[in-house]
Each structure stands twice: as structure tokens, then as C-alpha cells.
Amino acid sequence: MASISPDRVRVRTRDDDSSVGELLSAVTSDVQTLFRQEVELAKTEVRQEATKAGKAAGMYGGAGFAGYMVLLFLSLAAVLGLANVVDGGWAALIVAAVWAVAAAVLYQRGRTRMRTVAPKPEQTVESIKENAQWARHPTR
């Protein structure tokens, strides 16, 4: 086991001749280093989470395509099933009409919801205005 000689270890005490400026410089340097390290850690975490989100989005896309294929083949099965009852052309027209109604209902609901979307972040704008007002007159 190696021992450290007392003359190699220097412990700062209040009696040291370090000036306040030197101490502030050291603290500032340490804070800057800490801040840089935290930013790097945040970047790494964001990259990892973005990678996970990208993979999940790809899986959602695959599930969407698979769902589309299911609907396509179910529609085809409905057409073939109806073709046993009515002419094939009418069966295809009936299935297409059902899909047209579903599309119209979804469009209308989406349009109604889109009208409630505010393009401007109202709370953020209000908060920024309050902050600017406070910065101009902090004693009020």
C-alpha cells in the first residue's frame, strides 16, 4: 500500500492567501465544467430516447400497414360474401358505400376537433408577457 506524504497533500484553509477573485474564478470554472457535463449527459439521454421513439414509431407504422391490409382483405371478403346474395358489382358498391360513410364520419369528427386547436401557445405567450412586464418594472 502506497502512502501519501504530508508535504504532497495540501488542504486549503481560511488562512490560505487565496483571494476572493481566485476563489470565484475556481467556482466559476467548476460550475462551467459541471454545466458542460450536464449538457452532454442530457444530449446522450435525448439521443437514446429518440432512438427508442424512432423504433417504436417504426413498429406503429408496421402495425398501421398490417391493419390496412386486414381492412382490405376483410372488405374483399365482404364483397365476395355479398356476391352470393346480390350481383358482384352491387356487392362492391355496397362495401365501398360503407367505407365512404366511415370516411365521412371520421373526416367530420377530425374537422370538428381541428377547429378547437389553437395555433398559438396562449399560456406561454401570456407568461412571456408577464415576465417582460416584471423585467421592466420589478418593484410593482
Side-chain angles (χ1 to χ4, degrees):
M1 181 168 100
S3 64
I4 299 175
S5 64
D7 59 325
R8 290 183 58 194
V9 176
R10 179 169 176 172
V11 177
R12 289 200 160 194
T13 63
R14 290 184 180 198
D15 296 336
D16 281 347
D17 56 355
S18 298
S19 70
V20 173
E22 290 172 335
L23 292 175
L24 284 177
S25 174
V27 168
T28 302
S29 174
D30 290 346
V31 168
Q32 287 174 347
T33 301
L34 179 63
F35 182 74
R36 283 190 207 108
Q37 290 172 345
E38 291 298 326
V39 167
E40 278 303 311
L41 177 62
K43 285 180 183 179
T44 302
E45 285 179 321
V46 166
R47 266 190 229 107
Q48 289 173 348
E49 292 303 312
T51 300
K52 281 196 254 180
K55 289 178 182 177
M59 290 180 188
Y60 277 137
F65 179 73
Y68 168 76
M69 294 303 290
V70 167
L71 287 176
L72 177 69
F73 285 112
L74 283 175
S75 296
L76 182 61
V79 168
L80 294 175
L82 279 173
N84 291 329
V85 179
V86 296
D87 187 40
W90 287 109
L93 188 62
I94 291 169
V95 171
V98 169
W99 278 114
V101 169
V105 168
L106 289 172
Y107 171 79
Q108 190 61 35
R109 291 186 69 190
R111 184 174 166 207
T112 302
R113 286 195 181 177
M114 187 58 81
R115 288 184 176 167
T116 65
V117 173
K120 183 171 61 169
E122 296 293 335
Q123 290 179 339
T124 303
V125 170
E126 188 63 33
S127 175
I128 289 172
K129 286 180 182 177
E130 289 173 4
N131 291 343
Q133 185 178 6
W134 180 85
R136 280 187 235 119
H137 308 288
T139 57
R140 287 188 186 175

